[in-house]
Amino acid sequence: MLEQLLIFTRGGLILWSCKEFGNALKGSPIDTLIRSCLLEERSGAASYNYDAPGAAYSLKWTFHNDLGLVFVAVYQRILHLLYVDDLLAMVKHEFSQIYDPSKTFYGDFDETFRQLKVEAEARAEDLKKVNPLGGGVNKKQHHKAGSEGGSVGGRKNGNGALKNDGGDADDAAGKKGHKLENGHSNGNFVTAKDANLKSSGSVNGKENESSNIGAFDVNKLQKLRSKGVSGKKGEAKVAPKAEPAKKTTKKNRVWDDSPREQESKLDFTDHVGDDGDRNVDFLAREQGESMMDKEEVLSSDSETEEDEDDGKNNKPDAKKKGWFSSMFQSIAGKANLEKSDLEPALKALKDRLMTKNVAEEIAEKLCESVAASLEGKKLGSFTRISSTVQAAMEEALIRILTPRRSIDILRDVHTAKEQRKPYVVVFVGVNGVGKSTNLAKVAYWLQEHNISVMMAACDTFRSGAVEQLRTHARRLQIPIFEKGYEKDPAVVAKEAIQEATRNGSDVVLVDTAGRMQDNEPLMRALSKLIYLNNPDLVLFVGEALVGNDAVDQLSKFNQKLADLSTSSTPRLIDGILLTKFDTIDDKVGAALSMVYISGAPVMFVGCGQSYTDLKKLNVKSIVKTLLK
């Protein structure tokens, strides 16, 4: 039974809802659909499943993009109603005929809906009478074939009826030249006549034939080699020998007492003073202001100039490709956009996104969502379809990458300080992405804002992890809490938070061991650490170099944290820190893939080797780069 059918505008104004359904919906399925699907550019999906205590709903929807209307149907998932899509299409057509933007009450649509519902149910019943009947016959025949045809070799003919391959089948096979097919060894068999016709390769059937066809003949290779080298006697063709390139030999280093200016630049060790103490803060003093507090004005301007240059360079190419037809269509306009009109532009856009390192699955879903938002929309005059599709994709990308909640960590730190407790940040991620290094960058940025920081060395698994964090702490003059190796990281983090509370530290940055998303023991330990300490922020540290693997990493990290948690409301990833952003040029698609799959915002971007190389994500710059 249909639970609810709702019509509302894209602005959220409810125009009409079915009053026939007296049962109130459990939970808030429509609000969840809007928040988790429609606003997240996932509207290209066929349906959305919503689980509530005591109920499991399926939701289907359709848009009238020209009028800005949304039609949503809610029904029990277990029922598998066949008429929902047909009913939504009919309701969309009839309601668009009477829609008036100045009108907000449509009580007269109740009777129309009842008639449409009866008609849709009648069509569904007719389909049930036709399709399931044939399906039932096929199931019975399939069962009979399984019981009788296993040894006899029964099979179905073109009409779906069973046929016994007896002597008649042998004759037919002999006339038609019956061949073995893969996957039909139980149902079909080869007659003696066919067996005599086949060569020695017939023992293995067609598999050997296909393998022999695709195999490379080594004898041919030897003949070609001998032919290419010797050729005919006395007529050997000798290729002209290229002059060998001169090998560059490495200059020997002279190890004498005289210092060299070039060699002095290679000294990155800590300086030692006259009193024997290391000057641990010399590096921190030289770093300067963190890029987190700088506005990226020049980068966005330069990208705009690049776009203008690209546009000028691409104008001649654009003129070559159907200039007259596209110009005529842009002047005349188009009544309503259809899916076939959008497909060429969407395919080009999908390929462009994938070249920018966006995961294929994400690019496809984004294009489906843009198509759903544009299908049926009226194209105005002097407007091209490609520009309309690109503008819609740009809006969608900005909406996805823009954080939906506050990511002001400084404000959250001061709020926790007023409550007299430290603000705890846990850094998680796979191996080798730069968790410890970027933890030190975050610590440096917090220090610039007069916030006291303490590091917690909870990577008790990797050799040298504690020493690496200890080096960063010494250089930044930050206290570090460590317990060595082979300790429970959850207990180490808890003791570090207690120590920070006693010492009055404002922030505790917890470093964890790198782990692959499929390593269940380490993922269980991470889930325990998060559950036991309840951090204020869980940051996933990921490389900007990954493409499709970003989807797998983030989705499995969230899934493991949810499955292995002992809490009814498990903590998932709250934010993303992208590293190695300075090495990818315009391949910025990993940021989009990670945000789309997790819903968590990109809070930090690592873009270099020094402590100051940490900045915010410039959403407009990323979108321009993706669509450039």
Side-chain angles (χ1 to χ4, degrees):
M1 176 182 176
L2 197 66
E3 296 288 334
Q4 181 62 275
L5 197 142
L6 196 67
I7 304 174
F8 56 93
T9 64
R10 287 187 179 272
L13 177 63
I14 298 177
L15 300 175
W16 180 85
S17 63
C18 185
K19 300 181 178 61
E20 290 185 359
F21 314 122
N23 297 331
L25 295 176
K26 297 180 180 179
S28 54
I30 296 179
D31 292 342
T32 307
L33 170 72
I34 296 172
R35 186 170 56 251
S36 303
C37 189
L38 303 186
L39 293 180
E40 292 293 329
E41 297 301 327
R42 304 173 196 268
S43 55
S47 62
Y48 178 78
N49 293 330
Y50 176 81
D51 294 318
Y57 297 118
S58 284
L59 292 85
K60 291 192 174 183
W61 62 92
T62 185
F63 302 110
H64 197 300
N65 293 308
D66 194 23
L67 301 178
L69 301 178
V70 184
F71 304 81
V72 180
V74 186
Y75 61 94
Q76 291 285 349
R77 193 186 311 166
I78 196 173
L79 296 180
H80 300 289
L81 300 181
L82 301 177
Y83 62 87
V84 175
D85 293 326
D86 196 11
L87 178 61
L88 282 173
M90 291 190 294
V91 169
K92 171 184 172 182
H93 179 267
E94 293 296 331
F95 192 83
S96 61
Q97 303 295 326
I98 63 172
Y99 175 68
D100 183 3
S102 61
K103 187 177 178 182
T104 59
F105 180 73
Y106 293 88
D108 52 350
F109 190 70
D110 295 344
E111 184 60 31
T112 306
F113 172 75
R114 278 191 286 270
Q115 296 175 3
L116 296 176
K117 185 170 180 289
V118 170
E119 184 180 348
E121 289 176 344
R123 290 184 184 179
E125 289 296 328
D126 293 340
L127 288 175
K128 282 184 180 180
K129 291 177 182 179
V130 177
N131 291 340
L133 182 61
V137 174
N138 290 335
K139 287 180 181 178
K140 291 179 181 178
Q141 291 172 350
H142 180 71
H143 177 70
K144 188 176 180 181
S147 59
E148 297 178 1
S151 59
V152 180
R155 59 190 175 98
K156 295 180 183 179
N157 59 12
N159 298 326
L162 280 172
K163 183 175 180 180
N164 189 7
D165 292 335
D168 298 335
D170 294 346
D171 297 337
K175 292 177 181 178
K176 296 180 181 180
H178 177 74
K179 293 182 180 179
L180 271 176
E181 294 181 3
N182 293 334
H184 291 78
S185 58
N186 292 334
N188 299 331
F189 57 94
V190 184
T191 62
K193 185 176 181 180
D194 294 327
N196 293 330
L197 291 174
K198 289 185 180 288
S199 62
S200 60
S202 64
V203 176
N204 295 329
K206 195 173 181 180
E207 293 179 358
N208 275 358
E209 294 178 4
S210 61
S211 62
N212 290 334
I213 292 172
F216 187 82
D217 192 357
V218 182
N219 296 327
K220 292 183 179 180
L221 179 63
Q222 294 175 351
K223 291 178 181 178
L224 291 172
R225 184 186 300 170
S226 60
K227 187 176 181 181
V229 175
S230 60
K232 294 181 180 180
K233 293 183 178 180
E235 297 180 3
K237 294 181 180 180
V238 181
K241 292 184 179 180
E243 295 182 2
K246 295 182 179 180
K247 294 182 179 180
T248 56
T249 57
K250 185 179 178 181
K251 213 173 195 180
N252 293 330
R253 187 181 298 276
V254 180
W255 298 99
D256 52 8
D257 296 335
S258 59
R260 296 176 181 268
E261 184 180 354
Q262 295 179 352
E263 294 173 1
S264 62
K265 296 180 181 179
L266 301 177
D267 183 15
F268 292 100
T269 57
D270 293 347
H271 299 286
V272 181
D274 298 335
D275 54 353
D277 294 333
R278 292 182 180 271
N279 191 0
V280 295
D281 61 335
F282 82 98
L283 183 59
R285 287 203 309 264
E286 295 176 359
Q287 295 295 314
E289 185 182 2
S290 175
M291 296 176 67
M292 282 289 295
D293 302 319
K294 297 178 182 179
E295 295 293 333
E296 282 190 284
V297 179
L298 296 177
S299 62
S300 60
D301 293 342
S302 60
E303 286 180 2
T304 306
E305 292 174 1
E306 289 177 3
D307 291 342
E308 292 175 357
D309 295 339
D310 293 340
K312 292 178 182 177
N313 296 332
N314 292 334
K315 279 183 180 179
D317 296 335
K319 290 181 180 180
K320 293 178 183 178
K321 298 180 180 179
W323 177 84
F324 181 77
S325 60
S326 61
M327 180 61 69
F328 178 78
Q329 185 177 2
S330 64
I331 294 175
K334 187 173 178 62
N336 293 101
L337 289 173
E338 298 177 359
K339 194 171 184 179
S340 58
D341 301 326
L342 301 170
E343 282 178 356
L346 287 174
K347 186 180 183 304
L349 207 54
K350 177 186 172 183
D351 295 339
R352 192 185 309 170
L353 290 175
M354 291 176 61
T355 58
K356 298 301 173 66
N357 218 14
V358 178
E360 181 180 3
E361 177 188 354
I362 305 302
E364 188 173 352
K365 288 182 178 180
L366 279 171
C367 290
E368 289 175 357
S369 178
V370 170
S373 65
L374 291 178
E375 191 175 351
K377 193 173 183 179
K378 188 175 181 180
L379 186 66
S381 301
F382 299 97
T383 307
R384 300 182 63 182
I385 295 178
S386 59
S387 60
T388 303
V389 171
Q390 179 144 341
M393 179 63 77
E394 184 176 356
E395 292 178 3
L397 295 179
I398 292 176
R399 189 158 52 247
I400 291 171
L401 292 173
T402 303
R404 295 179 303 279
R405 60 177 178 83
S406 174
I407 57 172
D408 190 356
I409 294 181
L410 298 177
R411 188 191 65 179
D412 297 338
V413 168
H414 288 297
T415 302
K417 189 175 181 180
E418 292 175 357
Q419 300 173 0
R420 296 184 178 179
K421 66 174 185 178
Y423 186 83
V424 182
V425 183
V426 175
F427 293 77
V428 303
V430 299
N431 308 78
V433 294
K435 290 184 296 298
S436 303
T437 303
N438 285 275
L439 181 147
K441 293 180 184 179
V442 173
Y444 180 82
W445 171 65
L446 292 173
Q447 273 189 314
E448 285 190 320
H449 292 272
N450 299 321
I451 294 174
S452 59
V453 183
M454 186 175 80
M455 296 181 179
C458 296
D459 184 357
T460 61
F461 182 77
R462 177 174 64 90
S463 299
V466 177
E467 287 79 5
Q468 179 185 4
L469 205 64
R470 191 187 301 155
T471 302
H472 286 303
R474 187 182 73 247
R475 286 171 174 258
L476 297 174
Q477 291 186 313
I478 291 176
I480 180 173
F481 186 88
E482 56 173 289
K483 286 290 185 179
Y485 297 98
E486 297 183 1
K487 302 292 191 301
D488 188 352
V491 176
V492 175
K494 186 174 182 179
E495 294 178 358
I497 296 172
Q498 293 173 352
E499 180 69 19
T501 305
R502 287 193 295 268
N503 295 340
S505 297
D506 300 329
V507 178
V508 178
L509 303 179
V510 180
D511 185 28
T512 62
R515 65 205 78 213
M516 297 306 294
Q517 58 269 22
D518 298 321
N519 192 331
E520 186 166 335
L522 287 178
M523 290 301 299
R524 191 179 297 277
L526 179 63
S527 178
K528 177 184 176 183
L529 185 149
I530 294 175
Y531 171 72
L532 188 64
N533 297 282
N534 191 23
D536 298 279
L537 183 65
V538 179
L539 275 181
F540 178 84
V541 184
E543 285 182 333
L545 304 170
V546 295
N548 290 324
D549 198 34
V551 178
D552 186 61
Q553 288 178 7
L554 261 175
S555 59
K556 286 189 176 180
F557 251 84
N558 268 335
Q559 188 65 39
K560 289 291 184 181
L561 290 178
D563 294 343
L564 300 177
S565 176
T566 57
S567 173
S568 57
T569 56
R571 283 290 303 277
L572 303 179
I573 292 169
D574 300 318
I576 299 169
L577 194 157
L578 273 178
T579 65
K580 307 176 184 178
F581 213 74
D582 55 322
T583 64
I584 58 173
D585 194 22
D586 62 344
K587 305 293 189 294
V588 296
L592 177 63
S593 300
M594 289 183 176
V595 174
Y596 187 90
I597 201 65
S598 66
V602 177
M603 305 183 72
F604 301 100
V605 174
C607 53
Q609 300 295 325
S610 62
Y611 290 134
T612 60
D613 294 330
L614 189 74
K615 62 181 182 180
K616 299 176 184 177
L617 183 72
N618 190 333
V619 174
K620 292 183 179 179
S621 173
I622 294 295
V623 172
K624 286 182 180 179
T625 305
L626 286 171
L627 298 178
K628 186 170 64 176

